[in-house]
Amino acid sequence: MSIRHCYIHIPYCASKCPYCDFNSIAGRSDEWTVYVQALLQELRRLPTGPYDTLFMGGGTPTILPPELLSTLLSGIRSHIDLSDDYEWTCEANPSSADAERFKVLAEHGVNRVSVGVQSTDDATLSFLGRAHNAAEAHHTLAEATAQFERVSADIMFGLPQQTAEDLKRDLNLYKQHGITHASVYHLTMELGTEFHARYKHGEQLNCSEQQSGELFDCLMTELATMGFHQYETSNFAHSGAECRHNIAYWTGQNYHAVGAGAVSTIHGQRCTRHKHPKQYINSITAGQNAIQHTETISDIDRINETWMLGFRLQRGVCIQHLEQLGITQDCWQQQAGALQTDGLIDFNNTHIWITRAGRAVQDAITQQFFLDTED
Ligand code: SF4
């Protein structure tokens, strides 16, 4: 079956946020043009499609000047066919996205933008090392919603001393701008980040577990009041506004990828490209494939990923998919029965899912279903 999804990575940002462990790098504007050329060179090696979803992430794709963004998008369109009902997302940041760039995106067929807002409070944005302030965030959201029907905004919670009132102020942006998709992430101390190093030296950079639970309850209630339903651990949408690209990923579908550090998964082969843009450019322009690491996903890993990603979804893990992987109901009935009695999971004929009560211990539940890789 043809592969219907493709991820496109732009690794550049205005500055490096201290909590970020994405493959992103500050500045380097002198290499953006040659990076875009290399990216398009790699893209032209992919099947032409048609594709149901494209996702341009980063990094900050909107850091590219409008003309270069236009070159990138035209290059994509000249090679890639899109299905009739395609979804093409571009991530955008308030520090760089503007009406002109949104126009360029829309003119080339992008039909969904995801804006990294994180907070609507200047002091919090400064704490997070973001390159924008609250006024710029609102301005960008107003420009995004003027151009696109489908807009998502990212918000972060779990910050030190963050109160429910603070979070409600941030969440209010969805109502204020008529935004129908919300990605709400808990601040985590990722290994290798500046925050992680400072945290290890005793700095208080996140909130207590109790505060975190209260904030989570607050966001569930607030977003429900605004018509959102949670469809994934960190993602909420109005009906029909869910991100189809990410759902494809969470349901274990094959996808292509291009760009520095981008990961593709095709028929059990997971390929990771060189993370460093310079190395990626050199490899592609030398006619190589820029693949730094290839992993064959074992049957056990595939089953465990199916549990892990599927349990992130509100609808849960597809039982038919499990059966295709050789996991019949007999294999999980015992754990499921006990957890169902405790109200932590539930299942029907098609899916098995974690309940709202179970979300607090999602990782522990998921691990109960894992197969031992030593087996
Ligand atoms: S803007 Fe996004 S990708 Fe870039 S450093 Fe900040 S969090 Fe990371």
Side-chain angles (χ1 to χ4, degrees), residues 143-190:
E143 287 180 332
T145 50
Q147 191 76 58
F148 296 96
E149 263 179 44
R150 297 186 64 191
V151 175
S152 175
D154 289 7
I155 284 293
M156 198 167 269
F157 78 107
L159 310 166
Q161 279 87 50
Q162 187 179 28
T163 65
E165 288 311 308
D166 296 333
L167 184 57
K168 279 184 198 170
R169 178 209 54 225
D170 290 344
L171 296 173
N172 194 48
L173 72 83
Y174 297 107
K175 194 158 60 178
Q176 193 179 343
H177 293 282
I179 291 171
T180 54
H181 188 280
S183 296
V184 188
Y185 298 104
H186 198 287
L187 176 63
T188 49
M189 301 296 127
E190 299 295 342

Side-chain angles (χ1 to χ4, degrees), residues 29-43:
S29 56
D30 54 327
E31 80 188 17
W32 295 352
T33 300
V34 65
Y35 180 81
V36 165
Q37 285 162 357
L39 186 85
L40 290 174
Q41 201 175 329
E42 188 187 15
L43 185 99

Side-chain angles (χ1 to χ4, degrees), residues 28-271:
R28 307 282 180 100
S29 56
D30 54 327
E31 80 188 17
W32 295 352
T33 300
V34 65
Y35 180 81
V36 165
Q37 285 162 357
L39 186 85
L40 290 174
Q41 201 175 329
E42 188 187 15
L43 185 99
R44 285 193 289 270
R45 298 174 189 165
L46 298 184
T48 54
Y51 289 83
D52 292 333
T53 72
L54 301 182
F55 195 106
M56 281 172 42
T60 306
T62 53
I63 201 169
L64 301 178
E67 312 75 55
L68 188 56
L69 196 56
S70 180
T71 302
L72 170 64
L73 299 165
S74 311
I76 294 171
R77 282 312 294 266
S78 65
H79 179 71
I80 292 283
D81 290 333
L82 296 165
S83 62
D84 290 344
D85 187 26
Y86 74 89
E87 171 190 278
W88 185 356
T89 302
C90 181
E91 289 184 339
N93 259 340
S95 58
S96 58
D98 53 16
E100 191 183 356
R101 285 174 173 83
F102 285 140
K103 191 160 173 277
V104 169
L105 292 172
E107 279 171 358
H108 288 85
V110 172
N111 57 11
R112 181 176 184 274
V113 292
S114 174
V115 185
V117 173
Q118 315 313 346
S119 173
T120 57
D121 173 61
D122 283 342
T124 306
L125 287 165
S126 165
F127 163 78
L128 290 172
R130 300 291 300 191
H132 64 271
N133 61 30
E136 285 165 336
H138 281 295
H139 185 66
T140 301
L141 291 173
E143 287 180 332
T145 50
Q147 191 76 58
F148 296 96
E149 263 179 44
R150 297 186 64 191
V151 175
S152 175
D154 289 7
I155 284 293
M156 198 167 269
F157 78 107
L159 310 166
Q161 279 87 50
Q162 187 179 28
T163 65
E165 288 311 308
D166 296 333
L167 184 57
K168 279 184 198 170
R169 178 209 54 225
D170 290 344
L171 296 173
N172 194 48
L173 72 83
Y174 297 107
K175 194 158 60 178
Q176 193 179 343
H177 293 282
I179 291 171
T180 54
H181 188 280
S183 296
V184 188
Y185 298 104
H186 198 287
L187 176 63
T188 49
M189 301 296 127
E190 299 295 342
L191 195 64
T193 62
E194 181 190 321
F195 265 19
H196 186 266
R198 285 163 54 188
Y199 178 74
K200 283 284 163 200
H201 280 93
E203 213 176 317
Q204 179 62 46
L205 293 169
N206 56 6
C207 69
S208 68
E209 226 168 272
Q210 188 195 343
Q211 195 187 351
S212 175
E214 286 166 13
L215 291 169
F216 188 71
D217 283 345
C218 165
L219 80 89
M220 294 288 278
T221 308
E222 285 297 301
L223 288 173
T225 310
M226 293 184 221
F228 286 86
H229 71 97
Q230 185 187 26
Y231 71 99
E232 193 266 348
T233 307
S234 305
N235 286 280
F236 302 75
H238 285 202
S239 181
E242 300 84 358
C243 177
R244 284 161 35 207
H245 181 87
N246 285 339
I247 289 176
Y249 166 68
W250 293 316
T251 52
Q253 295 185 43
N254 291 313
Y255 54 92
H256 288 292
V258 290
V263 181
S264 53
T265 302
I266 298 167
H267 307 315
Q269 292 274 309
R270 181 159 294 149
C271 297

